[in-house]
Amino acid sequence: MSVLKQIQESEQYITQQLNASKPTIGLILGSGLGILAEEIENPVTISYSEIPHFPQSTVSGHKGQLVVGKLQGKQVVAMQGRFHYYEGYDMQHVTFPVRVMKQLGVEKLLVTNAAGGINESFDPGDLMIIQDHINNMGDNPLIGKNIDELGPRFPDMSEAYDRELRKLAEAAAADLNLSVRKGVYVGNTGPTYETASEVKMLRTLGGDAVGMSTVPEVIVANHAGIDVLGISCISNMAAGILDQPLSHDEVIETTEKVRQQFIQLVKQIIQTM
Ligand code: HPA
């Protein structure tokens, strides 16, 4: 079956479950941040396992369902749990849900993640509006024959994170009296955290934060003509900055500590989106 047909079948299944209008805003919720989906009103929850052609989520701390409903008066579709390249999915599977969101009618995508701080002026618990990214994954979801119905062969990435949405996010933070960082997200494959030397290299290359997600989804969203906003929760300082080892527990702990702030910010953003 063609990818196009798969996307359509996924979308049709989801649409059949909905009792309200289709979502125009997509949310991809990263490690420890999936809790935001619980704020969605009149939610229709669809497990990934039910949706034809959808991959399945495996990592702990990720739920694996779509939640569709109203948030701040806007109809949204949230991914509670995403697919990571390091889990062994290929780039097409990692980004399949973004294709389905587009088919559903999503025009704007808010992507969140936990990331290690490369910028030494950052602190764990900071929220960072992603200005741009560096694809350091050595792969690209658009490699292969281009499907012209989905987007152009050579998509522009000069404003991968929409300027207006970034401004809107900054204004939302200011409204809440919340100080936020801005910076460049580096996407690594993982699953290892970086070595201290790799972090030094990424800093030299212009990175402010590093994580193991987001870049593939953002590439496909741009290909599909979806406007993207990205927010990282700096869950830890990247390797070599502090004299302590990194752990997934620390990542989860920090994101839980700041999740009220994060939820507030995302809700404020969606309200003005
Ligand atoms: N490196 C890569 N990915 C991450 C990190 C990190 O330090 N923290 C959370 N995700």
Side-chain angles (χ1 to χ4, degrees):
M1 185 186 292
S2 74
V3 178
L4 220 47
K5 190 98 183 75
Q6 289 185 347
I7 295 165
Q8 286 163 356
E9 286 191 3
S10 285
E11 181 272 324
Q12 279 158 11
Y13 179 83
I14 295 162
T15 299
Q16 279 164 12
Q17 317 305 310
L18 304 183
N19 39 31
S21 54
K22 288 208 213 173
T24 56
I25 298 174
L27 299 172
I28 301 180
L29 304 172
S31 302
L33 307 174
I35 189 102
L36 177 64
E38 290 170 22
E39 306 251 334
I40 293 172
E41 297 159 34
N42 301 323
V44 173
T45 300
I46 310 168
S47 169
Y48 295 158
S49 59
E50 300 172 39
I51 307 170
H53 316 300
F54 241 64
Q56 307 306 315
S57 190
T58 60
V59 88
S60 69
H62 294 257
K63 256 194 176 167
Q65 57 187 27
L66 285 184
V67 184
V68 187
K70 266 219 157 81
L71 195 59
Q72 303 298 107
K74 305 277 165 68
Q75 198 66 18
V76 304
V77 51
M79 283 184 78
Q80 212 173 13
R82 60 147 62 87
F83 304 105
H84 297 90
Y85 192 60
Y86 63 72
E87 291 177 89
Y89 300 109
D90 63 28
M91 285 275 171
Q92 274 66 39
H93 285 95
V94 169
T95 56
F96 185 79
V98 178
R99 295 294 186 199
V100 174
M101 283 186 181
K102 172 71 181 182
Q103 189 73 23
L104 270 168
V106 164
E107 293 162 354
K108 291 173 178 157
L109 180 65
L110 204 169
V111 191
T112 70
N113 59 52
I118 295 174
N119 186 321
E120 286 166 301
S121 76
F122 287 5
D123 295 301
D126 282 350
L127 299 177
M128 183 188 89
I129 300 170
I130 302 177
Q131 302 295 298
D132 201 358
H133 76 218
I134 294 172
N135 178 5
N136 198 42
M137 290 185 156
D139 201 349
N140 189 304
L142 303 181
I143 289 176
K145 189 178 172 336
N146 188 59
I147 303 171
D148 295 336
E149 289 90 338
L150 299 180
R153 171 73 290 187
F154 301 110
D156 176 39
M157 290 290 283
S158 59
E159 209 185 288
Y161 298 79
D162 184 73
R163 190 189 307 265
E164 290 305 317
L165 290 178
R166 281 186 277 131
K167 267 198 221 155
L168 189 148
E170 274 191 74
D175 284 346
L176 295 170
N177 255 326
L178 204 72
S179 81
V180 284
R181 307 288 192 165
K182 294 191 272 184
V184 173
Y185 177 91
V186 180
N188 273 357
T189 63
T192 47
Y193 291 115
E194 297 68 35
T195 65
S197 298
E198 286 164 351
V199 170
K200 226 193 260 178
M201 173 187 77
L202 297 177
R203 186 180 303 120
T204 304
L205 294 178
D208 294 295
V210 57
M212 306 173 190
S213 67
T214 301
V215 163
E217 294 103 313
V218 170
I219 288 172
V220 164
N222 274 271
H223 185 239
I226 298 173
D227 292 338
V228 175
L229 177 64
I231 303 175
S232 292
C233 171
I234 305 301
S235 55
N236 58 280
M237 294 313 290
I241 296 177
L242 304 176
D243 193 19
Q244 63 184 51
L246 272 55
S247 75
H248 185 57
D249 290 345
E250 181 191 5
V251 170
I252 295 295
E253 219 172 273
T254 308
T255 51
E256 279 178 1
K257 244 183 239 163
V258 297
R259 72 181 173 197
Q260 278 320 315
Q261 273 184 22
F262 166 76
I263 285 172
Q264 263 195 319
L265 178 61
V266 172
K267 283 167 76 172
Q268 185 76 15
I269 289 168
I270 289 172
Q271 187 167 335
T272 48
M273 229 158 146

